[in-house]
Amino acid sequence: MKEETERLQEHLNEKIFDNLISFIKTSHTQVNSEVNDWSYRMRCSEIPTAALVLGVNVPDHEMTVQGLSELLKQSLTPHVVCLQSKECTTVKQVLQKILMNLTGGSGNDEEEDVHYSVEFHQSKMNCSMASLCRWYNTITKKSTSKSPSKKRKSSLQHEEVLPIVIIFKDLESFLPKVLQDFIIIASNYIQHLPLVLVFGIATSPITIHRMLPQSVSSLLCIELFQSLSCTDHLATVIDKLVLTTEFPFKLSGKVLQVLNNIFLYHDFSAKNFVKGFQLSLLEHFYSQPLSLLCCALNETNARVQNLTHDDCELIRQLPSFMGYVDDQDSEKQVELLTNDQYLKTVVQTLLTTLHIYHKNYFPVLKCLHIFTSSLPKYPLGKQIRELYITCLESNIWENEEYSSAFQLLRMMARDELVCLLQECIEVLQSSEHTSLTLSVQTLEDFLAKFQKLDEVPKEDVEEGQECKARSQKSLQKKTDLYQLQKTLMEMKELKRSKKPSKFEVLRMDVLEFMDKLVRKYLVPPETQPLHELVYFKAASALRRHLNAAPRAGLQIALSNPYYYLKNEALKSEGGTITNVAPDICIIYKLHLECGRLINLYDWLQAFATVVRAAEGKDRDKINNGQVDGVLHARFIRAVSDLEFLGFIKPTKLKTDHVARLTWGGF
């Protein structure tokens, strides 16, 4: 799954990366001609800049930028620098970061790289664009001196240079003043350095003009590049990882809904969706002992034969298998419950049936999505993941949305219906199962009948024209309101009793056939025996891992450390303070007994009393109030940790007090 995700990421970014490389490659290429656009831009001191709109899915940006950086180093230039806003709060830090990355290794001469790297670190305070220019000139002279003939040829016809690409990963987070000053400095060296800027933008290209005044933005020659939207990225990920029989592991409707909600309401990150999918897989194989049978179909026979008696008993306890046993006759029930070898044979058959079920399920699901995704108001959802979640949770044909969708389909025009049929035929042809092959043949027959509808008999045309003319003539007569109402009612009855056209009959036949396919193949997975082996259903466990509540988790850990540490000595009754608990837990429990302001001296004395009681110290020393340096340091560290976690803060009301920021506890 990880390899498939990486290949998918490369494929999705392939087009935009090719366009970026083409832009960077031609940005500093000089052609010997009278009209040279780049020479004109050079005279204007414009820096070629690629505005790369990555979208609001910020967690995915790192992977995209890293892939772009590696591709540039492999195919175009080794001089690539990636900058982050948190590391570049001043222009000096920006220049230091650029020089450190570039002089650390150019790929031409290791001794020269080491020399420049040492020189840079020795004169870190004097880093500037002039230093970068000297370094680049030295590197360029060394590379051209190795091939003089090539140099003469390129100087006459087509001179290629290795550009210096500077990528600003998160443009919105950079300080506008820092960005402005760097661009102004870089524009003064653009005739000596082939600089190319890449702006990673999460929101909108207008951000550039909001951060930079016109005098600075005029120094940039900006070209816009739009990456694939995060929803399209997720749809492709779901199609390759979830809606496929290549991987036997599947998600239940509730688990998929949890991952979908996290994507829609938190981060829009397809990368985090894949991580949640991987976490579900790990949880399934960790919590389900029979998950060893969640494998490819060609491996199931060997694994089933190696099942032990205990494994067979676990299979017999599965709810879906118990339902399967109840449907069998008495003789088979006895064999299934007592004979392990017979059970293994049945399990192998059921796993094959489950595989065939998925082989038919996903093509029919995609066909239903093709028919319903273009309907007004999207009664069954616009994205296939929404339709898939609905189909997993219940019988889709029992929903009101399903009925309303087919009512809209009954009004669909012929051209639209023909296009949908062609798409469905292409999807169903991908399945190798015999039953769907017959369905493809039926849809092809429907398509051929639609194409023959152009040949309308003359009798039908004349009859239709005659009825239309008779209706118009009756309406044109002068009459009163009663006669008009009577005429309209007669026309309505005539229209209701009118014989449906051949297209309408054929359209109804197509929709009835699609409804039969849905009812036959899109039954929920709970109806399949042994579905527990491949479907992960623990949505609560996944929600607990991915939708964490930090404050609640902190308070549970501090008030009940046994919940996490599992140390028997930490067990205590509700409300009591365990004297062997960690220092921060004791401090937390003591601070719950205080009001809005906490006296630090009293807090220290209470802490010392609890700790010394745990260590078995002399009670007389406790009463004297003597606190040694080690105990005092432990108290200060625990209070500092509690302040860092946001439970207390210093206050100016009283110098020897701290203010409590929370109220109550778990």
Side-chain angles (χ1 to χ4, degrees):
M1 288 180 175
K2 181 175 181 294
E3 293 174 355
E4 180 67 26
T5 306
E6 291 175 353
R7 286 195 296 268
L8 176 64
Q9 184 69 27
E10 293 177 0
H11 176 71
L12 291 176
N13 292 330
E14 184 178 359
K15 184 176 181 180
I16 188 172
F17 282 178
D18 290 344
N19 294 336
L20 271 169
I21 289 177
S22 177
F23 168 75
I24 295 172
K25 190 174 182 179
T26 57
S27 59
H28 285 278
T29 301
Q30 300 181 21
V31 182
N32 188 17
S33 59
E34 295 181 359
V35 180
N36 189 349
D37 293 338
W38 174 243
S39 298
Y40 175 76
R41 293 201 299 269
M42 291 280 285
R43 287 194 297 271
C44 296
S45 299
E46 292 184 355
I47 306 173
T49 305
L52 179 58
V53 182
L54 297 172
V56 294
N57 48 331
V58 178
D60 295 348
H61 293 182
E62 180 67 28
M63 185 167 51
T64 304
V65 172
Q66 184 179 358
L68 174 61
S69 176
E70 293 176 356
L71 187 61
L72 286 172
K73 291 179 180 179
Q74 292 174 3
S75 60
L76 188 59
T77 174
H79 312 316
V80 180
V81 182
C82 295
L83 302 178
Q84 282 186 308
S85 58
K86 61 182 180 181
E87 301 173 352
C88 304
T89 56
T90 62
V91 178
K92 179 182 177 181
Q93 290 180 343
V94 173
L95 295 175
Q96 285 181 353
K97 188 72 175 175
I98 294 173
L99 286 166
M100 184 182 297
N101 281 269
L102 293 179
T103 60
S106 63
N108 294 323
D109 193 332
E110 293 183 0
E111 295 181 359
E112 192 69 25
D113 293 339
V114 172
H115 169 72
Y116 273 99
S117 180
V118 172
E119 182 182 351
F120 164 70
H121 286 290
Q122 289 176 350
S123 59
K124 216 172 188 181
M125 301 297 294
N126 299 323
C127 59
S128 62
M129 291 295 289
S131 303
L132 179 61
C133 191
R134 289 195 300 270
W135 168 82
Y136 185 79
N137 290 334
T138 305
I139 295 298
T140 306
K141 289 179 181 178
K142 181 168 291 190
S143 61
T144 54
S145 63
K146 295 179 180 179
S147 55
S149 60
K150 182 179 179 181
K151 179 183 177 183
R152 288 194 300 270
K153 182 178 179 181
S154 63
S155 62
L156 293 174
Q157 297 179 359
H158 189 79
E159 183 179 355
E160 293 185 359
V161 294
L162 296 178
I164 300 175
V165 182
I166 303 175
I167 303 175
F168 295 82
K169 292 183 180 180
D170 46 349
L171 182 71
E172 289 90 346
S173 300
F174 277 85
L175 296 175
K177 180 62 177 175
V178 174
L179 198 61
Q180 295 170 21
D181 292 344
F182 173 76
I183 292 174
I184 293 173
I185 295 172
S187 65
N188 294 324
Y189 288 86
I190 191 62
Q191 297 182 2
H192 308 285
L193 283 174
L195 294 172
V196 179
L197 306 182
V198 178
F199 290 160
I201 303 172
T203 53
S204 172
I206 198 66
T207 304
I208 298 176
H209 300 287
R210 288 175 180 169
M211 297 180 66
L212 306 176
Q214 194 274 337
S215 59
V216 178
S217 61
S218 62
L219 303 176
L220 303 177
C221 178
I222 303 174
E223 187 165 338
L224 183 63
F225 297 88
Q226 179 74 49
S227 65
L228 188 70
S229 67
C230 52
T231 53
D232 294 339
H233 190 178
L234 179 66
T236 310
V237 168
I238 289 178
D239 184 63
K240 296 297 183 182
L241 294 185
V242 181
L243 305 178
T244 178
T245 56
E246 182 179 357
F247 307 114
F249 175 72
K250 305 298 175 188
L251 300 176
S252 68
K254 292 184 178 179
V255 172
L256 190 58
Q257 184 68 55
V258 169
L259 295 178
N260 187 47
N261 289 341
I262 293 174
F263 174 83
L264 292 176
Y265 302 121
H266 287 80
D267 51 19
F268 286 102
S269 173
K271 177 183 176 182
N272 288 348
F273 180 90
V274 173
K275 286 184 177 180
F277 190 83
Q278 293 172 337
L279 177 61
S280 304
L281 187 143
L282 292 175
E283 283 285 331
H284 177 70
F285 277 87
Y286 178 76
S287 60
Q288 174 58 265
L290 296 173
S291 58
L292 60 99
L293 297 179
C294 181
C295 59
L297 187 62
N298 56 1
E299 300 177 4
T300 55
N301 188 24
R303 297 193 181 189
V304 168
Q305 296 304 322
N306 292 332
L307 292 176
T308 63
H309 176 72
D310 294 338
D311 295 333
C312 293
E313 288 298 324
L314 289 175
I315 291 176
R316 294 185 177 104
Q317 295 173 9
L318 292 175
S320 63
F321 188 78
M322 293 171 64
Y324 172 78
V325 173
D326 292 339
D327 295 337
Q328 307 302 314
D329 54 35
S330 58
E331 295 181 358
K332 287 187 177 180
Q333 287 179 357
V334 174
E335 288 291 322
L336 289 171
L337 297 176
T338 58
N339 190 344
D340 289 350
Q341 190 58 41
Y342 180 75
L343 175 68
K344 293 178 182 179
T345 305
V346 174
V347 167
Q348 176 64 31
T349 304
L350 292 177
L351 289 176
T352 305
T353 305
L354 186 62
H355 180 75
I356 295 174
Y357 163 78
H358 287 132
K359 278 275 189 181
N360 296 330
Y361 188 98
F362 297 122
V364 176
L365 177 71
K366 293 177 181 178
C367 286
L368 180 60
H369 175 66
I370 288 172
F371 269 84
T372 59
S373 60
S374 59
L375 294 177
K377 297 184 179 180
Y378 310 106
L380 291 179
K382 184 178 182 181
Q383 301 292 336
I384 192 171
R385 62 176 182 268
E386 302 169 6
L387 177 62
Y388 183 45
I389 292 172
T390 306
C391 292
L392 287 175
E393 293 178 346
S394 62
N395 293 327
I396 183 68
W397 55 87
E398 296 178 355
N399 295 346
E400 295 181 1
E401 292 79 6
Y402 181 83
S403 302
S404 61
F406 269 76
Q407 288 179 359
L408 293 172
L409 289 173
R410 292 189 185 98
M411 297 182 288
M412 184 167 287
R414 173 189 162 186
D415 295 339
E416 296 176 349
L417 195 58
V418 168
C419 294
L420 296 181
L421 283 177
Q422 291 174 345
E423 293 182 27
C424 287
I425 290 173
E426 294 177 359
V427 171
L428 294 179
Q429 284 175 345
S430 62
S431 177
E432 301 175 356
H433 200 250
T434 309
S435 59
L436 288 185
T437 305
L438 297 175
S439 301
V440 171
Q441 184 62 41
T442 305
L443 291 178
E444 289 178 347
D445 294 341
F446 282 131
L447 197 60
K449 290 179 181 178
F450 274 115
Q451 294 174 353
K452 292 180 181 179
L453 286 178
D454 293 332
E455 304 172 2
V456 181
K458 293 183 179 180
E459 298 177 358
D460 295 345
V461 176
E462 293 176 357
E463 182 180 355
Q465 292 178 352
E466 184 179 351
C467 292
K468 185 177 180 181
R470 189 165 54 248
S471 301
Q472 291 179 352
K473 185 180 292 184
S474 60
L475 286 175
Q476 290 174 358
K477 292 180 180 179
K478 291 184 178 181
T479 181
D480 55 6
L481 182 62
Y482 174 76
Q483 291 294 332
L484 178 61
Q485 184 179 6
K486 184 178 179 181
T487 304
L488 291 174
M489 291 295 292
E490 291 176 355
M491 291 176 58
K492 187 176 181 180
E493 291 294 331
L494 182 64
K495 185 177 181 181
R496 187 177 298 173
S497 61
K498 181 183 176 182
K499 183 179 178 181
S501 64
K502 291 185 177 181
F503 166 69
E504 294 173 345
V505 173
L506 190 56
R507 181 174 57 189
M508 288 299 300
D509 293 341
V510 171
L511 296 180
E512 288 178 3
F513 178 75
M514 286 301 303
D515 183 57
K516 290 180 181 178
L517 281 181
V518 170
R519 294 174 183 266
K520 182 178 180 181
Y521 294 112
L522 292 188
V523 292
E526 284 77 9
T527 60
Q528 304 300 312
L530 303 182
H531 70 272
E532 295 93 342
L533 303 183
V534 298
Y535 278 87
F536 176 68
K537 298 183 178 180
S540 58
L542 190 67
R543 191 181 295 109
R544 185 172 64 252
H545 287 304
L546 298 180
N547 277 351
R551 182 174 181 270
L554 283 174
Q555 290 185 323
I556 291 174
L558 294 175
S559 60
N560 184 18
Y562 175 78
Y563 183 85
Y564 290 102
L565 300 180
K566 303 300 180 185
N567 187 350
E568 295 296 330
L570 297 177
K571 281 189 174 181
S572 63
E573 298 180 359
T576 61
I577 301 175
T578 308
N579 49 20
V580 295
D583 293 345
I584 190 173
C585 297
I586 298 174
I587 289 291
Y588 174 77
K589 282 289 190 71
L590 291 172
H591 111 286
L592 290 178
E593 301 174 358
C594 303
R596 189 174 65 88
L597 295 178
I598 305 174
N599 188 305
L600 287 173
Y601 180 78
D602 295 340
W603 202 5
L604 172 61
Q605 292 300 321
F607 173 73
T609 302
V610 175
V611 172
R612 283 172 172 168
E615 297 174 352
K617 296 294 182 65
D618 189 4
R619 184 170 293 274
D620 295 335
K621 293 184 178 180
I622 299 176
N623 295 331
N624 292 335
Q626 298 177 0
V627 179
D628 59 358
V630 175
L631 195 60
H632 198 180
R634 289 170 58 184
F635 173 78
I636 293 175
R637 183 175 64 179
V639 171
S640 299
D641 291 341
L642 207 62
E643 180 184 355
F644 175 75
L645 294 175
F647 289 93
I648 59 174
K649 72 171 183 177
T651 178
K652 295 182 180 180
L653 297 177
K654 294 184 180 180
T655 55
D656 56 345
H657 285 64
V658 292
R660 184 176 171 183
L661 297 178
T662 60
W663 196 259
F666 283 79

